[in-house]
Amino acid sequence: MNNHIIEQLIELVGKDYVSSDPSDLKEYGQDWSKIFEPNASVIVRPKTTEQVQEIVKLANKEAFAVVPSGGRTGLSGGACATNGEVVLSLDRMNEILSINSIDRTLQCQAGTITKQIQEFASEHHLYYPVDFASTGSSQIGGNIATNAGGIKVIRWGMTRDWIVGLKVVTGTGELLDLNSGLVKNATGYDLRHLIIGSEGTLGIVVEATIKLTTPPKDLTVMVLGLDQLSDVYPVMETFQQKLNLTAFEFFSEQALSKVLEHHELQRPFESTSNFYILVEFENDSESTMDIAFECFEQAMEQGWVVDGVISQSESQAETLWALRERISESISVHTPYKNDISVIPSKVAEFLSSVDEIVAKEYPDFEIIWFGHIGDGNLHLNILRPDDLTIDQFVEQCRRVNPLIFDKIKQLDGSISAEHGVGLVKKDYLPYSRSEVEIALMKSIKAAFDPKGILNPGKLFDQ
Amino acid sequence: MNNHIIEQLIELVGKDYVSSDPSDLKEYGQDWSKIFEPNASVIVRPKTTEQVQEIVKLANKEAFAVVPSGGRTGLSGGACATNGEVVLSLDRMNEILSINSIDRTLQCQAGTITKQIQEFASEHHLYYPVDFASTGSSQIGGNIATNAGGIKVIRWGMTRDWIVGLKVVTGTGELLDLNSGLVKNATGYDLRHLIIGSEGTLGIVVEATIKLTTPPKDLTVMVLGLDQLSDVYPVMETFQQKLNLTAFEFFSEQALSKVLEHHELQRPFESTSNFYILVEFENDSESTMDIAFECFEQAMEQGWVVDGVISQSESQAETLWALRERISESISVHTPYKNDISVIPSKVAEFLSSVDEIVAKEYPDFEIIWFGHIGDGNLHLNILRPDDLTIDQFVEQCRRVNPLIFDKIKQLDGSISAEHGVGLVKKDYLPYSRSEVEIALMKSIKAAFDPKGILNPGKLFDQ
């Protein structure tokens, strides 16, 4: 990066907020995918929207690329700088600007940490329901750029469903002020929804207005044991018809074993099953517990469920959740190759057995760990590395199995990236989920928002 | 329209489905706005997606404009053909294709009537919650093109929130198959959301996959009398914190008087108030009614509410709803000039008094009737025609008052069209709600989807 540009950046934001320090370049140059070599030129940390606009305008003038950077907790390389880009970090734009209990909205800057939003809402007796493992470090701007999902989607939907206003700096440095918190606004194309999930390629989110809701009452957790995968959805239907489900999660016996190997946790019940379902629901009336037991008994009678347990307190609910939430951590020693994929719920059983079959046939030595948000058809497929393969060998073999899995996904009209985005990791596979015409339209839209290709170039697709 | 084109259309869909009959041209050339002179060239009624594609391709070849046409219940002229266009009616593409109780989705063609979808879902113990006055004639494709809202938005959101898959024919005749019913799909720009609310200018919706939900239990209605507008939202907050509100509607004493003049209905209670609120909630547990009474008492104690009534049966609930739902009909003899506008809820009181002031000052003879979905900040402003003005004189005067009202909306970051769309009626006013940069981006997007400007030209904006 030439000094002339660095000097101009310093002039814009002050010398304390422009860094070429190697440890900064490394830290800000990568996300949680950890498979790309970071190669950022410089890190710039603006404090105001105007500074963001000025940096983007400078990028247009001096022809340098900008990687918008939030908490970098993504798993698709969407926030990696691998090609000498300037990383524009939103870290310092982290203020909660206002909360309004009539509109039930909260306004904040893009760099605000998700958990802070949840806590701030809670202090005001309101609730921000989008929840996932990395809320303690992810920033709302990044959540928006990737349309983050997580564990409560079955009840409350994705990040998209909670964003009622958005301020965005486009690739030319113009500021868009989209929808201003309105519930109803039928005045042309909803550019807000185009920005949500665009992975920093169309604009840099600088501020958001977030809708909040009533906090759920007394969340209660059941863990159920199932022997057949095809019984998962009849169980879901049974519970869904009678209870306000807030989560419907899935893990295999293999996944549970790994958790028990690595943590001081107990099996949910004595017997083992092939699969486990974690059902969470709102205990919102006096009859809820009776209804929950009825559903459970009905599922037992039908032979779908072989055993089960229900939380009697908040701490028991947390312990049951730990069985599901600690899976990722427990398998990390095996450097798993992760695929975050989805099909519609009714096709999950077929999809899962097909993939098991493909992997068993092609790579009989690979162990597969399945878990995920099965209530919305979203599975995390984790292939564990056999001890006798180096990481490089293993990744290479997994990449060879990808097209087989993605072919099956395409055949089932599924998604090759359910909630992690495309970034660099899935870029080459995008045509498995999006048609040629769609990709061409996306490129035209990119050209309209960012004619010089300044913003996060090479992510999602090559322009 | 030259015969050569008509012959080709007949070849594509059969002679029974191409009409130049003057009564058809008139009927299909206009929507419920009724203020534009219909001037369609020919009506074509395809049966299949392929036929829709072929018609659009022909339009590209022969350079004629196409107006996509659903139930034509819109109020913004979005479906009017005023300029010799070919009207492409989706009437015959009205099949419900499937329903799936595991995925809780329903697939149907774009011409399916909204009410049929509601009824079909209900037969399968599921619920399609988007509800408004014209569900008996509006088509789902039109709902999608305008992102229809209505009376249950406070609980269930807009049409946008229920569309999980969309098949769309673009302006070049290409078929897009968007999102396929997936709950989670993070693979690039969500073109589905760009189509929703685009008023037929980007593509013709041919098929939709709709999410369904659990039917609400036992909807109960309260009507409350208020003397001060500023008390509306404290009342809403009080009820919203403790009950599952499904509607929160508003009408003025003037509106109620008009209804009582024209219908055999009773006042909700003996006393008169300046304003009325209709609260609907789900009676979902044994304690709900007690809680509702508590909220009511609290609102009385605070002096916000001066009187109230609660429905004891479904038919009483319907009678109370009639007070709100029959307003439009009751004022139609006064040929009202309607404006469908929104601000965020916390700004409604300020907005409403400002408009009252503007109209009182500029047009002291005009009577204003306010009603609307105040729970989501959406008001229907109806200015009644004084008897001594002709319709033309009246409309001209109202149009002169529009900029004053829209200036106030702009100042409050509101929307000049909350749920009726822009079409022809609001086209000239679009800059009050969208910036120059946004409109330029919309035009670029339009050019990408419809390079020859075949689809609904002159609606929303002039390309």
Side-chain angles (χ1 to χ4, degrees), chain B residues 9 21 58 62 87 96-98 106 125 132 155 203 297 301 308 316 323 328 347 351 359 372 420 438 440-441 455 461:
Chain B
L9 288 173
D21 181 280
L58 183 66
E62 301 284 355
V87 174
I96 295 180
L97 304 167
S98 67
L106 175 156
H125 311 291
F132 42 84
R155 167 71 178 275
E297 274 165 26
E301 274 164 29
Q316 275 183 30
L323 299 174
S328 263
K347 293 181 182 169
F351 173 66
V359 179
H420 293 172
E438 285 176 70
L441 285 169
L455 295 178
F461 46 72

Side-chain angles (χ1 to χ4, degrees), chain B residues 229 248-251 275-277 324 352 370-372 374 379:
Chain B
L229 191 69
F248 195 85
E249 297 282 311
F250 161 83
F251 47 98
F275 306 104
Y276 300 88
I277 293 294
R324 159 68 185 83
L352 202 145
W370 286 102
F371 62 97
I374 203 164
L379 293 169

Side-chain angles (χ1 to χ4, degrees), chain B residues 69-243:
Chain B
S69 184
R72 295 180 308 286
T73 58
L75 291 163
S76 72
C80 291
T82 59
N83 207 15
E85 300 96 331
V86 171
V87 174
L88 188 157
S89 162
L90 280 300
D91 282 357
R92 295 171 66 222
M93 294 178 62
N94 60 356
E95 253 184 88
I96 295 180
L97 304 167
S98 67
I99 188 163
N100 186 315
S101 63
I102 291 174
D103 302 319
R104 300 185 134 199
T105 55
L106 175 156
Q107 265 185 302
C108 65
Q109 290 184 299
T112 311
I113 302 290
T114 316
K115 202 171 192 64
Q116 286 177 343
I117 293 170
Q118 291 171 335
E119 288 172 355
F120 195 81
S122 175
E123 284 162 24
H124 291 78
H125 311 291
L126 287 164
Y127 187 65
Y128 179 61
V130 182
D131 202 10
F132 42 84
S134 58
T135 50
S137 18
S138 79
Q139 296 175 8
I140 190 71
N143 299 356
I144 292 167
T146 56
N147 188 25
I151 54 178
K152 308 273 177 163
V153 169
I154 190 177
R155 167 71 178 275
W156 286 289
M158 310 289 283
T159 299
R160 178 183 302 289
D161 300 301
W162 299 90
I163 303 303
V164 290
L166 215 48
K167 290 190 184 168
V168 182
V169 174
T170 68
T172 56
E174 300 277 2
L175 181 65
L176 300 178
D177 186 352
L178 302 171
N179 203 57
S180 310
L182 295 167
V183 184
K184 286 181 174 174
N185 181 17
T187 54
Y189 312 157
D190 199 329
L191 304 182
R192 164 184 51 145
H193 282 292
L194 202 49
I195 298 293
I196 298 170
S198 66
E199 304 189 25
T201 63
L202 297 180
I204 302 174
V205 174
V206 289
E207 204 181 297
T209 306
I210 298 166
K211 185 171 70 173
L212 304 171
T213 188
T214 307
K217 289 170 203 150
D218 195 7
L219 296 178
T220 303
V221 172
M222 265 187 177
V223 173
L224 309 171
L226 281 77
D227 275 338
Q228 288 193 86
L229 191 69
S230 54
D231 293 336
V232 167
Y233 290 103
V235 172
M236 184 164 91
E237 243 188 301
T238 305
F239 280 83
Q240 201 159 35
Q241 274 166 6
K242 299 191 179 160
L243 294 169

Side-chain angles (χ1 to χ4, degrees), chain A residues 294-347:
Chain A
E294 266 169 44
C295 293
F296 173 69
E297 275 165 24
Q298 197 181 325
M300 287 280 282
E301 274 164 28
Q302 294 286 338
W304 300 326
V305 162
V306 291
D307 210 340
V309 64
I310 189 163
S311 66
Q312 301 292 337
S313 68
E314 209 175 306
S315 79
Q316 274 184 31
E318 274 170 27
T319 309
L320 291 173
W321 262 115
L323 299 174
R324 158 70 185 84
E325 286 187 316
R326 296 204 179 154
I327 299 170
S328 263
E329 194 186 330
S330 306
I331 59 176
S332 65
V333 291
H334 304 283
T335 47
Y337 189 84
K338 289 165 182 283
N339 253 319
D340 168 47
I341 49 202
S342 78
V343 294
I344 57 173
S346 59
K347 292 181 182 170

Side-chain angles (χ1 to χ4, degrees), chain B residues 48 62 83 102 179 210 274 280 296 309 360 380 388 437 456-457:
Chain B
T48 67
E62 301 284 355
N83 207 15
I102 291 174
N179 203 57
I210 298 166
N274 293 329
E280 188 188 65
F296 174 69
V309 63
H380 299 305
D388 59 347
V437 182
N456 225 4

Side-chain angles (χ1 to χ4, degrees), chain A residues 137-245:
Chain A
S137 17
S138 78
Q139 297 175 7
I140 190 71
N143 298 357
I144 292 167
T146 56
N147 188 24
I151 54 177
K152 308 274 177 164
V153 170
I154 190 177
R155 166 72 176 276
W156 285 289
M158 310 288 284
T159 298
R160 178 183 302 290
D161 301 300
W162 299 90
I163 303 303
V164 291
L166 214 49
K167 291 190 185 167
V168 182
V169 174
T170 68
T172 57
E174 300 277 1
L175 181 65
L176 301 177
D177 185 353
L178 302 172
N179 203 58
S180 309
L182 295 167
V183 184
K184 288 181 174 173
N185 181 17
T187 54
Y189 312 158
D190 199 329
L191 304 182
R192 165 186 49 146
H193 282 291
L194 202 49
I195 298 293
I196 298 169
S198 65
E199 303 188 27
T201 62
L202 297 181
I204 302 174
V205 174
V206 288
E207 202 182 299
T209 306
I210 297 167
K211 186 171 70 173
L212 304 171
T213 188
T214 307
K217 290 170 202 149
D218 195 8
L219 296 177
T220 303
V221 172
M222 263 187 179
V223 172
L224 309 172
L226 282 76
D227 275 339
Q228 289 193 87
L229 190 70
S230 54
D231 293 336
V232 166
Y233 290 103
V235 171
M236 183 164 93
E237 243 189 301
T238 305
F239 280 84
Q240 201 159 35
Q241 275 165 5
K242 299 191 179 161
L243 294 169
N244 273 323
L245 299 192

